[in-house]
Amino acid sequence: GQQLNQSPQSMFIQEGEDVSMNCTSSSIFNTWLWYKQEPGEGPVLLIALYKAGELTSNGRLTAQFGITRKDSFLNISASIPSDVGIYFCAGQGGSEKLVFGKGTKLTVNP
Amino acid sequence: DAGVTQSPTHLIKTRGQHVTLRCSPISGHKSVSWYQQVLGQGPQFIFQYYEKEERGRGNFPDRFSARQFPNYSSELNVNALLLGDSALYLCASSKTGVRTYEQYFGPGTRLTVT
């Protein structure tokens, strides 16, 4: 079945630093989404990408849909303490379901 | 506007019992999906319902079933609970139309099976 490899698994950064994380797939996806999950809550949608090569921003967050359609990247600029959480990528291929990565846990030191 | 709501928030059950989890989608959303999230993992797709019909099913045993009601709310049922069913169960809703894959999640129901 489809699997997503998300890296890194965890990141420890200083406030103000930029962050990059990525997601790769063994198969092609038609849609990529990025979510953030905080303890005790459901994932919150950050960015949705629908076309290969698409670059989309949401405030300090920027995500790109890879041109091979097998990868996606999320960048966070000038991190702040409230960026702490687990970031998940999710892809949608030929069916209705979303396939999620295992997450990148972000810790921001003030 | 209210987001996706789920009930109950927490639940403790014994092996072999049955459980029903409930979800109300965002107003105007006609599609509901269910996911299981075990600790340290991303959500795993269980079901999607659109207009009361099953549109997709993940790799889960027949002990898992769901349905969607005329008001688009949904129930997830799990029979003969196993210890391994302990997880956060997430419901997500999405609009119809072009961007149906923008799924919005509720806070989840934490199920513990003892």
Side-chain angles (χ1 to χ4, degrees):
Chain A
Q2 293 172 318
Q3 290 188 339
L4 294 185
N5 298 309
Q6 191 170 348
S7 64
Q9 275 189 318
S10 60
M11 304 182 75
F12 298 84
I13 63 169
Q14 293 296 125
E15 183 176 358
E17 290 183 354
D18 296 344
V19 171
S20 291
M21 59 190 78
N22 69 79
C23 212
T24 60
S25 169
S26 58
S27 51
I28 290 171
F29 282 114
N30 298 322
T31 304
W32 284 95
L33 302 100
W34 286 91
Y35 288 86
K36 177 187 177 185
Q37 187 174 27
E38 298 185 42
E41 298 182 9
V44 174
L45 180 63
L46 301 173
I47 292 179
L49 302 158
Y50 290 91
K51 287 194 295 190
E54 180 181 354
L55 186 71
T56 297
S57 292
N58 178 7
R60 294 178 296 104
L61 278 61
T62 302
Q64 184 162 23
F65 192 141
I67 56 173
T68 66
R69 296 168 63 192
K70 291 184 177 182
D71 56 3
S72 180
F73 305 86
L74 176 69
N75 295 314
I76 305 173
S77 63
S79 59
I80 59 178
S82 62
D83 290 334
V84 165
I86 302 177
Y87 291 80
F88 289 99
C89 61
Q92 179 270 327
S95 66
E96 302 292 332
K97 69 177 183 180
L98 292 181
V99 179
F100 281 80
K102 291 186 176 181
T104 293
K105 185 175 182 180
L106 179 64
T107 302
V108 180
N109 296 315
Chain B
D1 286 343
V4 177
T5 59
Q6 293 186 243
S7 63
T9 54
H10 295 85
L11 204 51
I12 298 175
K13 290 285 190 178
T14 304
R15 275 179 298 175
Q17 287 188 315
H18 161 91
V19 69
T20 297
L21 310 181
R22 295 179 174 82
C23 171
S24 291
I26 293 171
S27 177
H29 286 195
K30 297 182 178 180
S31 179
V32 169
S33 299
W34 287 94
Y35 292 81
Q36 181 195 66
Q37 186 178 26
V38 299
L39 204 59
Q41 301 291 318
Q44 295 286 317
F45 175 77
I46 309 175
F47 288 109
Q48 186 185 42
Y49 276 78
Y50 170 63
E51 292 279 13
K52 296 171 286 180
E53 291 192 3
E54 184 183 298
R55 291 287 297 269
R57 171 186 283 258
N59 189 22
F60 280 81
D62 292 344
R63 299 184 296 108
F64 288 76
S65 63
R67 55 179 175 168
Q68 187 177 31
F69 299 100
N71 65 354
Y72 304 109
S73 67
S74 178
E75 284 183 353
L76 176 70
N77 296 284
V78 187
N79 292 323
L81 285 167
L82 303 175
L83 294 178
D85 295 331
S86 295
L88 180 68
Y89 287 85
L90 295 161
C91 173
S93 75
S94 55
K95 292 180 182 179
T96 57
V98 174
R99 297 182 184 265
T100 59
Y101 303 113
E102 290 181 13
Q103 296 188 13
Y104 296 87
F105 284 84
T109 294
R110 173 71 63 186
L111 173 64
T112 301
V113 182
T114 62

